[in-house]
Amino acid sequence: MLKEIRCDKFAEEHRSIRFQPGLNTVLGSAGGSNAIGKSTFLWLVDYAFGGNSYYTLSDDIKKHIGAHIVYFTFEFNGQAHYFYRSTDDSKNVCRCDKSGRLIQKLSAEDFRSFLYQEYKV
């Protein structure tokens, strides 16, 4: 299960987004305003699962945020698995320790295979 997504480019109060067991929702503002980041956040979730839409489909992210690293944590059978992915090298996903130190570089395809196996699809 995806447990957390972290990035120092997120707003300070949202630098670490933690997921709870069960259904998690993405809500907009109480006033119903647009352009507050719901779609971008969903692209980030896709990115954490090995997708490519986050950085390839949004020129705004490239223009206003630039290259950056997204950290994410999965938990399977009570064991945490830590990863990060750089927008400069989105074809690879890096397994790391809890502190973010590189352990192993995986192709995005190998990472998706790992998730497929762990989710027992």
Side-chain angles (χ1 to χ4, degrees):
M1 171 183 157
L2 180 61
K3 296 293 285 184
E4 180 183 34
I5 296 177
R6 291 182 294 114
C7 183
D8 66 357
K9 298 293 185 176
F10 295 171
E12 189 171 334
E13 65 273 16
H14 300 294
R15 291 226 167 111
S16 177
I17 299 167
R18 291 183 178 87
F19 298 91
Q20 302 302 317
L23 180 65
N24 291 261
T25 59
V26 180
L27 299 174
S29 67
S33 63
N34 282 325
I36 62 169
K38 296 181 299 291
S39 295
T40 301
F41 175 70
L42 292 175
W43 283 343
L44 271 166
V45 171
D46 173 70
Y47 198 65
F49 279 94
N52 291 312
S53 299
Y54 171 64
Y55 203 66
T56 59
L57 294 181
S58 178
D59 289 334
D60 285 341
I61 294 171
K62 292 176 186 174
K63 181 179 176 183
H64 297 291
I65 298 174
H68 56 282
I69 296 173
V70 179
Y71 294 86
F72 36 97
T73 304
F74 286 88
E75 186 178 298
F76 301 107
N77 297 319
Q79 181 180 354
H81 299 267
Y82 303 96
F83 299 93
Y84 67 83
R85 196 167 175 198
S86 170
T87 57
D88 275 345
D89 184 21
S90 64
K91 293 183 187 297
N92 294 297
V93 178
C94 296
R95 179 185 294 273
C96 60
D97 64 16
K98 188 174 184 175
S99 299
R101 289 184 292 265
L102 176 66
I103 294 173
Q104 176 186 22
K105 187 181 274 193
L106 304 167
S107 69
E109 183 177 326
D110 287 344
F111 173 71
R112 288 189 296 269
S113 293
F114 165 78
L115 292 179
Y116 183 87
Q117 178 183 358
E118 290 299 319
Y119 274 103
K120 302 180 185 347
V121 175

